[in-house]
Amino acid sequence: MARSGDVVDARVQRSKAAVLAQTYELLSAGGIGGVSIDEVSRRSGVSKTTIYRHWPSRAALLVEACSTIGSAPPVPDTGSFGADLAALVEELAEQLRSARWAAVLPSIVDAAEREPELAELHARLHARLMAPFGVVTERAQARGELAADRGPADVGAVVAGPLFYRRWFSREPLDVAFVRRVVEDALSHFGVQDRST
Amino acid sequence: MARSGDVVDARVQRSKAAVLAQTYELLSAGGIGGVSIDEVSRRSGVSKTTIYRHWPSRAALLVEACSTIGSAPPVPDTGSFGADLAALVEELAEQLRSARWAAVLPSIVDAAEREPELAELHARLHARLMAPFGVVTERAQARGELAADRGPADVGAVVAGPLFYRRWFSREPLDVAFVRRVVEDALSHFGVQDRST
């Protein structure tokens, strides 16, 4: 019995993985508008009934398919806000340059303008993406390196704003000089001396 | 003959206006994915043949329908970079808060990731939106107020980046204090004294 249960479990896991992979595939190829349960079912070979058993809605499926977005390496902890921030900004720039989600996120931002369920998905992804900035900011505040009234929300706008602008709006390259300047501007915004120079 | 020509012209103008209005309506309601020539024809009562006579492609129609995006009031010319920049940033923040295009642009950003024709549309809209920042930057450089190596592209990332970030990514309010801080940070980035304080 245990063995046949394992077989069933393994099959369920394989089906779920196939559904999630095809969802992300469709999302990458055509944005959120390209993702339909019909098409996911056709491509994955998993029936619609089975898909709906695991995910009550298209939005729920999208949430899980996007769960890898923004799951970054460990948060740096160098003891200096400047060095932590530089490491995070470089990592974010690298992801924006090459990670597949960088081409997918605008579709979710767009959907969030109109569909509350997808606004919820967007809020989660955004929170996950920016969480490491919150961690280094709070550590710097705990060390007294950063004023208490300048929180993670500030860091987001000052740091991610210019990077996102280049990646999705002006569509200019996120070169090393630009990334370095973003860090410098952020440190000057927060009144922190850049010890890495 | 002239009179009947005028009547025809007026009818053509009315048809074109109806097509453009319905295109923008569909774009606002459902993003770029919601705009099809079929649906525009159905809603405007203008035949597909006529639509294709005026616009060779869906992208061409979208370009004209979006022509009001970013056509802002006259560019400020106060004689001070700080005051010009503050006026532009306040205007952009106001548009992001309330203009209909603020809910439409993410759809175009998304489409630009995949469709070259729409990447072209995006580039045009972006250029139009940021043009006033270029004008005030160049005037400030001509006055010697701004270093020549810090051009309009810099202004875009430093100023529009944080505003766009708040509007479309963190979805936080673009309040007066935030807008003011964006201007201050930009002036400090450019090494310009804020004379308005």
Side-chain angles (χ1 to χ4, degrees):
Chain A
M1 280 309 276
R3 173 174 284 267
S4 98
D6 288 351
V7 170
V8 171
D9 276 0
R11 210 173 53 208
V12 167
Q13 291 313 316
R14 267 200 310 277
S15 294
K16 287 183 76 170
V19 167
L20 291 171
Q22 289 302 330
T23 301
Y24 201 72
E25 197 63 47
L26 286 168
L27 189 60
S28 306
I32 277 195
V35 181
S36 71
I37 301 287
D38 276 325
E39 189 59 17
V40 170
S41 166
R42 202 186 62 73
R43 287 180 169 226
S44 63
V46 177
S47 75
K48 284 172 65 176
T49 317
T50 304
I51 295 177
Y52 279 117
R53 196 159 54 226
H54 295 299
W55 298 278
S57 67
R58 177 171 161 269
L61 175 58
L62 283 164
V63 169
E64 195 167 341
C66 292
S67 63
T68 53
I69 295 184
S71 34
V75 178
D77 191 7
T78 62
S80 134
F81 181 63
D84 284 354
L85 194 65
L88 283 180
V89 171
E90 273 154 31
E91 171 64 28
L92 180 58
E94 181 51 33
Q95 298 236 348
L96 289 171
R97 276 186 218 109
S98 60
R100 214 167 162 198
W101 66 256
V104 166
L105 199 64
S107 179
I108 297 166
V109 168
D110 174 40
E113 292 290 327
R114 283 179 298 274
E115 300 173 50
E117 253 194 316
L118 295 173
E120 175 67 25
L121 165 61
H122 172 269
R124 277 200 211 199
L125 294 179
H126 180 77
R128 203 192 297 143
L129 197 59
M130 300 311 293
F133 290 92
V135 173
V136 305
T137 305
E138 280 158 18
R139 280 191 195 135
Q141 287 172 331
R143 284 193 303 265
E145 216 185 336
L146 212 60
D149 65 340
R150 289 273 161 125
D154 263 321
V155 179
V158 169
V159 163
L163 295 181
F164 289 4
Y165 175 83
R166 278 243 184 173
R167 173 62 185 82
W168 290 304
F169 296 93
S170 73
R171 297 167 69 93
E172 293 161 280
L174 289 160
D175 53 63
V176 174
F178 178 77
V179 170
R180 166 131 211 103
R181 213 156 58 226
V182 167
V183 174
E184 282 167 11
D185 279 354
L187 293 178
S188 126
H189 172 97
F190 290 107
V192 175
Q193 199 86 46
D194 183 1
R195 293 189 218 155
S196 67
T197 46
Chain B
M1 281 307 280
R3 175 175 283 268
S4 99
D6 287 352
V7 170
V8 171
D9 276 359
R11 209 173 52 203
V12 167
Q13 290 314 315
R14 268 201 309 277
S15 293
K16 286 184 76 170
V19 167
L20 290 170
Q22 289 303 330
T23 301
Y24 202 72
E25 197 63 48
L26 286 168
L27 190 60
S28 305
I32 278 198
V35 181
S36 70
I37 301 287
D38 276 325
E39 188 61 16
V40 170
S41 166
R42 202 185 63 73
R43 287 180 169 225
S44 63
V46 177
S47 75
K48 284 172 65 175
T49 316
T50 303
I51 295 177
Y52 279 117
R53 195 157 55 227
H54 295 299
W55 298 278
S57 67
R58 176 172 161 267
L61 175 58
L62 283 164
V63 169
E64 193 167 343
C66 292
S67 64
T68 53
I69 295 183
S71 34
V75 178
D77 191 7
T78 62
S80 133
F81 181 62
D84 285 354
L85 194 66
L88 284 180
V89 171
E90 273 153 31
E91 171 63 27
L92 180 59
E94 182 49 35
Q95 297 236 350
L96 288 171
R97 276 184 219 111
S98 59
R100 214 169 163 198
W101 66 256
V104 167
L105 199 63
S107 179
I108 296 165
V109 168
D110 175 40
E113 291 289 328
R114 281 178 297 275
E115 300 175 50
E117 254 194 315
L118 296 172
E120 177 66 24
L121 164 62
H122 172 268
R124 280 202 211 196
L125 294 178
H126 179 76
R128 203 192 298 142
L129 195 59
M130 300 311 293
F133 290 93
V135 173
V136 305
T137 305
E138 280 159 17
R139 280 190 195 135
Q141 286 173 331
R143 283 193 303 265
E145 214 184 338
L146 212 59
D149 65 340
R150 288 274 162 124
D154 263 322
V155 179
V158 169
V159 163
L163 295 180
F164 289 3
Y165 176 83
R166 276 242 186 174
R167 173 63 185 81
W168 290 305
F169 296 92
S170 73
R171 299 167 69 92
E172 294 160 278
L174 289 160
D175 52 64
V176 173
F178 178 77
V179 170
R180 167 132 211 101
R181 212 156 61 227
V182 167
V183 175
E184 282 166 12
D185 279 353
L187 293 178
S188 126
H189 172 96
F190 290 107
V192 175
Q193 198 88 43
D194 184 0
R195 294 189 218 152
S196 67
T197 47

